[in-house]
């Protein structure tokens, strides 16, 4: 009986290990070329942990089956590195010049009072505590609830491409030269969008700062409940139909982001200056979006981050979808996600960057 149980467990382990490999390498496949494959990437952390638990089980029982976990985990080390980092990291002291960049999706500055906090006061206070010198804002909104952010002398705000008061913004304590809005050519009429940039004169030289917000899944509260707390007692046919609709919505967003990120990548690749991207990508590190951008840019989380760095707080699942990415001519010496106080459905992401002295 015990032998049969172990055989069944090993078959399940093989299935999970294979699914983990598919999930890990789904990021190399454009979602607009092969439908639905990108959804597998969302499951990578769960599949990785299950594979790890199976490995521990076989190790405790002194079975060679532990090799399945060892081999498959070794095959996905780069993906693991983009999701899990040291939970303890020593602070390093640098004498060279640094600039602190923050990316923050502010959710309309709490216009609909989602959180019981005065964001008009608390956001400037938080940014000061983070030492932010250059700030990229997604879901910027002009209203009586919007903070003035007077500590930033220079600003580039673009609204009106979705509605007259909604858009993107870059704030800086350093002077700006050229600045502009670049629309996404691939966008459908109902998903108009684009990104903004500003060439900023920093202590590290002229840097092109890009602020972007790629199309979201547009999940409703009902969609989130379907994922986290499905009503098992509900009519089976309706539940199946709801899941099919949800999967279709998620897949469509992956396809649209694939088109957007290729345009964004081309713009970054053509930049005459080092680039810092401040963005809500609406995609995890196990995604085509992330893979395309990190062909040209580095992720400070993998250099100086700790833990899992999740940035989106509306679900129990630890999604990291907000980023500060930078050109190889720069390097990160500190990376933080400010999870308190809660001022939006996203946490602000901050990276302290300096020049990469190994690149002349």
């Amino acid at each position: 009986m015990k032998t049969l149980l172990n055989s069944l467990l090993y078959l399940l382990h093989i299935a999970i290990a294979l699914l983990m490999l598919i999930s890990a390498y789904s990021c190399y496949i454009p979602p607009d070329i092969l439908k639905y494959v990108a959804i597998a990437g969302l499951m990578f952390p769960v599949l990785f942990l299950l594979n790890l638990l199976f490995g521990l089980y076989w190790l405790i029982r002194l079975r060679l089956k532990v090799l399945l976990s060892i081999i498959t985990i070794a095959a996905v080390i780069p993906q693991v590195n983009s999701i899990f980092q040291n939970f303890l990291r020593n602070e390093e002291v640098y004498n060279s010049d640094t600039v602190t960049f923050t990316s923050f999706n502010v959710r309309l500055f709490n216009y609909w009072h989602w959180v019981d906090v005065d964001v008009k006061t608390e956001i400037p206070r938080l940014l000061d505590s983070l030492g932010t010198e250059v700030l990229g804002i997604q879901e910027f909104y002009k209203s009586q609830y919007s903070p003035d952010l007077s500590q930033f002398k220079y600003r580039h705000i673009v609204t009106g491409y979705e509605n007259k008061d909604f858009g993107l913004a870059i704030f800086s304590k350093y002077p700006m030269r050229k600045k502009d809005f670049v629309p996404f050519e691939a966008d459908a009429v109902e998903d108009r969008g684009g990104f903004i940039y500003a060439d900023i004169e920093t202590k590290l030289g002229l840097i092109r700062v890009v602020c972007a917000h790629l199309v979201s899944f547009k999940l409703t509260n009902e969609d989130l409940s379907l994922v986290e707390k499905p009503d098992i007692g509900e009519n089976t046919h309706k539940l199946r139909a709801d899941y099919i609709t949800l999967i279709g919505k998620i897949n469509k967003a992956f396809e649209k982001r694939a088109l957007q990120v290729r345009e964004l990548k081309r713009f970054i690749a053509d930049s005459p200056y080092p680039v810092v991207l401040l963005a809500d990508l609406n995609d995890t590190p196990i995604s085509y979006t992330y893979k395309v951008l990190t062909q040209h840019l580095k992720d400070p989380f993998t250099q100086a981050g700790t833990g899992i760095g999740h940035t989106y707080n509306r679900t129990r699942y630890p999604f990291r979808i907000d980023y500060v990415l930078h050109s190889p001519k720069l390097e990160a010496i500190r990376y933080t996600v400010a999870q308190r106080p809660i001022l939006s459905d996203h946490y602000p992401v901050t990276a302290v960057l300096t020049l990469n002295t190994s690149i002349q």
Side-chain angles (χ1 to χ4, degrees):
M1 186 67 181
K2 187 177 291 186
T3 302
L4 176 61
L5 177 61
N6 282 336
S7 297
L8 292 174
L9 284 175
Y10 191 54
L11 287 175
L12 180 59
H13 185 189
I14 291 172
I16 288 173
L18 288 174
L19 287 173
M20 184 195 72
L21 291 173
I22 293 169
S23 174
Y25 288 94
S26 63
C27 57
Y28 290 93
I29 304 171
D32 54 330
I33 300 298
L34 186 60
K35 294 180 181 294
Y36 303 109
V37 68
I39 296 174
L42 297 175
M43 295 304 298
F44 177 79
V46 173
L47 294 169
F48 173 80
L49 289 175
L50 288 173
N51 191 22
L52 184 62
L53 288 173
F54 267 114
L56 291 173
Y57 174 77
W58 299 125
L59 182 63
I60 291 169
R61 298 187 65 82
L62 301 177
R63 300 298 180 90
L64 285 177
K65 293 180 175 67
V66 70
L67 291 175
L68 177 60
S69 284
I70 293 173
I71 293 170
T72 53
I73 287 174
V76 298
I77 289 299
Q79 288 82 351
V80 173
N81 191 46
S82 69
I83 291 181
F84 304 105
Q85 281 296 316
N86 301 337
F87 281 81
L88 294 174
R89 192 186 288 270
N90 293 328
E91 287 284 337
E92 295 189 48
V93 178
Y94 281 71
N95 296 320
S96 58
D97 287 331
T98 63
V99 178
T100 302
F101 296 85
T102 296
S103 179
F104 193 10
N105 182 323
V106 298
R107 203 184 189 192
L108 311 182
F109 289 120
N110 200 32
Y111 181 80
W112 297 108
H113 306 291
W114 290 291
V115 293
D116 188 21
V117 179
D118 178 14
V119 301
K120 195 169 185 176
T121 301
E122 291 300 323
I123 285 180
R125 186 177 298 168
L126 174 61
L127 294 171
D128 284 342
S129 71
L130 294 172
T132 302
E133 297 171 278
V134 179
L135 168 67
I137 290 180
Q138 304 86 36
E139 293 193 22
F140 179 89
Y141 196 68
K142 292 189 292 186
S143 76
Q144 69 269 34
Y145 304 110
S146 305
D148 181 63
L149 298 175
S150 58
Q151 67 265 55
F152 299 96
K153 183 178 179 180
Y154 307 94
R155 53 194 63 194
H156 175 36
I157 301 171
V158 176
T159 61
Y161 57 89
E162 291 191 41
N163 71 52
K164 65 176 183 175
D165 296 317
F166 180 90
L168 297 164
I170 298 172
F171 291 80
S172 173
K173 294 184 178 181
Y174 301 101
M176 295 181 177
R177 288 190 187 176
K178 184 179 180 181
K179 51 188 180 182
D180 205 352
F181 169 74
V182 181
F184 286 126
E185 296 178 4
D187 266 356
V189 174
E190 68 272 19
D191 287 308
R192 288 175 296 176
F195 55 91
I196 63 174
Y197 73 92
D199 296 336
I200 299 179
E201 299 174 356
T202 75
K203 290 179 287 186
L204 308 180
L206 199 57
I207 292 177
R208 176 159 289 180
V209 176
V210 180
C211 182
H213 185 192
L214 303 193
V215 67
S216 72
F217 289 120
K218 293 181 169 59
L219 299 183
T220 64
N221 288 332
E222 290 75 18
D223 292 331
L224 293 174
S225 295
L226 193 62
V227 173
E228 295 191 337
K229 296 180 293 184
D231 186 358
I232 306 300
E234 193 175 8
N235 179 281
T236 305
H237 295 293
K238 182 181 183 306
L239 194 62
R240 184 184 300 115
D242 288 344
Y243 272 113
I244 291 173
T245 301
L246 176 62
I247 291 171
K249 183 186 292 188
I250 291 173
N251 183 70
K252 193 65 177 176
F254 276 123
E255 291 180 3
K256 290 178 180 179
R257 283 198 295 274
L259 299 174
Q260 290 180 340
V261 77
R262 288 197 287 266
E263 291 186 38
L264 183 58
K265 180 201 74 170
R266 286 194 292 270
F267 180 82
I268 290 170
D270 291 339
S271 172
Y273 315 115
V275 170
V276 174
L277 173 64
L278 308 174
D280 173 3
L281 298 179
N282 275 304
D283 258 327
T284 71
I286 312 299
S287 67
Y288 176 76
T289 296
Y290 180 87
K291 183 58 63 179
V292 166
L293 289 173
T294 51
Q295 289 173 353
H296 296 274
L297 303 175
K298 297 172 68 176
D299 182 357
F301 175 74
T302 64
Q303 305 166 60
T306 58
I308 55 177
H310 75 285
T311 67
Y312 184 66
N313 60 44
R314 281 192 69 197
T315 68
R316 299 173 187 175
Y317 199 80
F319 286 116
R320 183 163 78 96
I321 61 176
D322 301 270
Y323 301 86
V324 176
L325 303 177
H326 61 85
S327 294
K329 290 183 179 180
L330 305 170
E331 66 175 332
I333 60 172
R334 191 175 305 133
Y335 174 94
T336 56
V337 179
Q339 298 180 354
R340 291 290 182 275
I342 296 176
L343 304 173
S344 168
D345 57 344
H346 294 249
Y347 301 127
V349 176
T350 300
V352 180
L353 305 182
T354 189
L355 289 174
N356 186 349
T357 55
S358 66
I359 298 179
Q360 302 298 322

